[in-house]
């Protein structure tokens, strides 16, 4: 037993990661990181979640849920920024915790993130499909119901064909190299922010202040709608918007100056993204009563069309289609880097840790593509939205607490951080506690899924990972 415990707490040597990740070419700048982060944050979530969360949980108080989620994500982003500036390795939380706490804790956080990534890829692809279908319908084109959504026999939908095609397209694009992708991302993000601003300006002219009353609807007993319960449930669901933080951090090994660029990219994404979320949600619930957005995956374009702004609605739909595709690129890229990290460390089969002649972890990338196709093709959009935040919150909790293991080693056996989490030692535990409270507000489906996912992860680690770990077999 003591030998097993020793193995679980065995820490990885940072030099191992530095050596293995040298095959990943550092090319990302602060501008590229902002593009990746905002491509994720101001992506599917901003075009879809404000309406869904308002209808299912909060009413007009959806803005409060965004603010609460931003506070939790903001505290965690400080921890992420310090970690990334000291340990710029692929795999983000998985690699950091393997160095600081031991391989087992790295596996737990990485496994949680893997669930988040797989579901996120599917969620983003489903959001893209919803906007594409809405746009095609506005042109008089309509797909058969059978291929218009995840499996739901009562509605006659069986597979989301457009989501599958989107994932295949992104997989093909990323297999061609990431340099071109980052330039495309930067351009798309700029266009997307301009059009989101246009929605705010045009939509504000159609606001009816009566739609804000009551701003916080009373709680409905036995449900997660209304009152403080609804706001907390909304904040938990909204946390998907901040998966962009880990997507940025997962690419640390490919950043030119991670000590400076990573903190700027992380914190800049938080500030800009949250500002847009608050403004969009305020305008959206002011244009129509929140109940109109129930089960509506394209609420912003829908609201514009139903106020007579057809040109702006179609422009928004086109940009949302392109912008959500950009978000899909970002999360798909991060997913492949995490799987590559597992293969690199021997915790999953070694072929996942290999790169091709273009320095792309192509095997990991292809596995993400195949897995995401099955999830996105057959699971309904709103179900995915309820599940995706769990892995993010687990990672936020563990990374925040790991700052206590990082800080004493800085300037000793690890480099001195160019950015430090403020208000240490109080803020790390506050950040972890905040994320834990949000996690408790998740749906029972999300909690059960995460429990089942962890059971699978423990089986894989103890049956395969411990035997093949390069750390244990050095």
């Amino acid at each position: 037993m003591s030998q097993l415990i020793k193995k679980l707490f065995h820490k990885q040597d940072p030099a191992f990661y530095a050596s293995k990740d040298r095959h990943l070419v550092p090319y990302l700048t602060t501008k590229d990181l902002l593009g990746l982060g905002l491509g994720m944050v101001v992506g599917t979530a901003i075009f879809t979640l404000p309406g869904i969360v308002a209808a299912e949980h909060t009413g007009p108080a959806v803005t409060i849920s965004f603010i609460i989620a931003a506070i939790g994500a903001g505290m965690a982003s400080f921890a992420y920024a310090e970690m990334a500036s000291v340990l710029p390795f692929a795999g983000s939380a998985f690699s950091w915790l393997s160095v600081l706490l031991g391989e087992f804790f790295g596996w737990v956080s990485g496994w949680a993130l893997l669930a988040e990534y797989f579901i996120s890829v599917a969620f983003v692809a489903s959001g893209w499909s919803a906007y594409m279908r809405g746009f095609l319908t506005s042109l008089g084109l309509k797909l058969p119901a059978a291929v218009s959504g995840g499996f739901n026999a009562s509605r006659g939908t069986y597979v989301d064909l457009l989501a599958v095609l989107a994932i295949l397209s992104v997989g093909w694009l990323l297999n061609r190299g990431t340099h071109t992708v980052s330039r495309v991302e930067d351009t798309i993000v700029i266009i997307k922010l301009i059009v989101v601003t246009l929605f705010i300006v045009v939509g504000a002219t159609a606001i009816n202040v009566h739609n804000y009353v009551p701003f916080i609807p009373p709680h409905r007993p036995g449900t997660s709608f209304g009152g403080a319960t609804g706001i907390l449930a909304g904040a938990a669901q909204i946390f998907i918007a901040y998966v962009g933080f880990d997507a940025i951090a997962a690419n640390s090994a490919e950043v030119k100056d991670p000590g400076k660029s990573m903190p700027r990219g992380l914190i800049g994404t938080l500030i800009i993204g949250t500002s847009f979320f608050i403004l969009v949600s305020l305008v959206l619930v002011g244009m129509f009563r929140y109940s109109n957005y129930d089960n509506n995956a394209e609420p912003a374009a829908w609201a514009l069309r139903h106020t007579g702004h057809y040109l702006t609605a179609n422009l928004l739909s086109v940009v949302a289609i392109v912008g959500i595709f950009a978000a899909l690129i970002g999360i798909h890229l991060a997913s492949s880097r995490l799987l590559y990290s597992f293969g690199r460390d021997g915790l999953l089969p070694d072929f996942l840790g290999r790169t091709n002649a273009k320095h792309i972890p192509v095997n990991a990338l292809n596995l993400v593509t195949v897995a995401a196709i099955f999830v996105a093709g057959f699971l309904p959009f709103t179900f995915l939205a309820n599940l995706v935040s769990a892995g993010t919150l687990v990672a936020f909790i563990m990374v925040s607490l790991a700052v206590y293991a990082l800080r004493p080693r800085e300037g000793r056996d690890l480099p001195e951080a160019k950015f430090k989490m403020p208000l240490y030692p109080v803020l790390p535990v506050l950040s972890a506690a905040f994320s834990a409270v949000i996690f408790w507000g998740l749906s029972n489906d999300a909690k059960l899924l995460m429990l089942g996912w962890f059971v699978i992860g423990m089986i894989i680690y103890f049956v395969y990972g411990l035997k093949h770990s390069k750390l244990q077999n050095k």
Side-chain angles (χ1 to χ4, degrees):
M1 179 61 71
S2 61
Q3 189 66 24
L4 175 61
I5 293 174
K6 184 179 178 181
K7 286 184 176 182
L8 298 183
F9 284 87
H10 197 173
K11 298 178 178 66
Q12 183 59 270
D13 183 353
F16 171 80
Y17 288 149
S19 172
K20 288 291 184 179
D21 289 351
R22 72 181 187 277
H23 301 295
L24 300 174
V25 181
Y27 68 95
L28 295 170
T29 63
T30 299
K31 180 170 65 72
D32 296 323
L33 293 176
L34 282 171
L36 281 171
L38 291 173
M40 280 295 304
V41 172
V42 189
T44 306
I46 200 167
F47 291 121
T48 57
L49 279 187
I52 290 174
V53 171
E56 294 184 355
H57 300 298
T58 66
V62 62
T63 51
I64 300 177
S65 290
F66 272 113
I67 292 169
I68 290 173
I71 292 170
M75 289 191 288
S77 75
F78 291 137
Y80 265 74
E82 182 168 351
M83 290 279 177
S85 72
V86 177
L87 302 168
F89 307 129
S92 64
F94 163 66
S95 299
W96 302 336
L97 269 69
S98 295
V99 170
L100 297 171
L101 301 179
E103 182 181 78
F104 175 73
F105 295 96
W107 171 259
V108 169
S109 64
W111 190 248
L113 285 173
L114 191 61
E116 168 212 321
Y117 281 157
F118 278 156
I119 298 170
S120 292
V121 170
F123 170 76
V124 173
S126 296
W128 182 87
S129 173
Y131 263 86
M132 178 62 87
R133 291 196 305 272
F135 178 67
L136 292 175
T137 300
S138 73
L139 299 178
L141 304 172
K142 192 172 183 179
L143 290 176
V147 294
S148 296
F151 183 82
N152 189 330
S154 63
R155 294 188 175 183
T157 61
Y158 297 95
V159 63
D160 193 336
L161 179 62
L162 291 177
V164 170
L165 292 176
I167 292 170
L168 280 173
S169 300
V170 170
W172 174 81
L173 184 63
L174 290 175
N175 266 298
R176 297 180 63 84
T178 50
H179 292 270
T180 303
V181 169
S182 66
R183 289 195 293 269
V184 172
E185 284 267 297
D186 294 343
T187 304
I188 291 174
V189 166
I190 292 170
I191 296 171
K192 184 161 53 175
L193 293 180
I194 291 172
V195 174
V196 171
T197 302
L198 180 63
F199 165 76
I200 294 168
V201 173
V202 173
T205 64
I207 287 176
N208 181 346
V209 294
H210 296 293
N211 291 325
Y212 293 123
V213 181
F215 193 72
I216 303 178
H219 176 57
R220 294 175 189 164
T223 73
S224 60
F225 180 86
T229 301
I231 290 172
L232 185 61
Q237 188 169 343
I238 281 166
F239 242 86
I240 184 181
Y242 299 105
V243 68
F245 289 142
D246 199 86
I248 295 173
N251 298 292
S252 295
E254 294 162 271
V255 178
K256 285 184 177 179
D257 186 0
K260 292 182 179 179
S261 297
M262 290 303 298
R264 292 171 181 171
L266 288 162
I267 296 169
T269 295
L270 173 73
I271 294 171
I272 298 171
T274 301
S275 300
F276 275 103
F277 272 128
I278 292 171
L279 291 171
V280 167
S281 58
L282 270 176
V283 169
L284 198 62
V285 295
M287 293 174 73
F288 288 94
R289 186 161 179 79
Y290 59 84
S291 55
N292 286 290
Y293 301 121
D294 186 34
N295 204 34
N296 187 340
E298 51 144 11
W302 180 90
L304 286 171
R305 288 192 198 105
H306 284 76
T307 51
H309 299 288
Y310 296 103
L311 179 61
T312 306
N314 287 335
L315 177 61
L316 180 71
S317 291
V318 170
V319 172
I321 288 166
V322 177
I324 294 173
F325 193 81
L328 186 57
I329 291 173
I331 196 63
H332 207 116
L333 183 65
S335 306
S336 65
R337 273 31 179 190
L338 180 59
L339 264 184
Y340 154 82
S341 301
F342 287 154
R344 174 197 64 191
D345 286 36
L347 299 179
L348 287 181
D350 184 64
F351 78 93
L352 293 172
R354 298 174 191 161
T355 58
N356 63 9
K358 296 180 180 179
H359 307 292
I360 299 169
V362 65
N363 295 327
L365 185 59
N366 291 338
L367 181 57
V368 169
T369 302
V370 172
I373 283 173
F374 281 100
V375 178
F378 298 101
L379 292 182
F381 178 81
T382 51
F383 180 73
L384 292 169
N386 281 318
L387 297 181
V388 76
S389 298
T392 308
L393 288 162
V394 171
F396 280 8
I397 292 168
M398 297 186 74
V399 170
S400 297
L401 294 176
V403 173
Y404 293 115
L406 173 68
R407 192 64 66 89
R409 294 178 61 177
E410 291 177 7
R412 295 181 181 177
D413 64 326
L414 293 176
E416 190 70 44
K418 294 183 180 179
F419 175 89
K420 291 182 182 288
M421 189 176 193
L423 301 178
Y424 179 89
V426 176
L427 196 58
V429 71
L430 283 180
S431 174
F434 200 102
S435 292
V437 170
I438 298 296
F439 183 89
W440 191 251
L442 289 171
S443 67
N444 289 331
D445 285 339
K447 294 173 187 173
L448 288 172
L449 174 79
M450 190 50 58
L451 178 62
W453 183 253
F454 274 130
V455 169
I456 295 170
M458 292 303 99
I459 293 172
I460 292 174
Y461 180 74
F462 286 108
V463 173
Y464 182 91
L466 268 178
K467 292 180 181 179
H468 297 86
S469 166
K470 293 179 182 177
L471 172 63
Q472 306 296 348
N473 293 306
K474 277 198 301 187

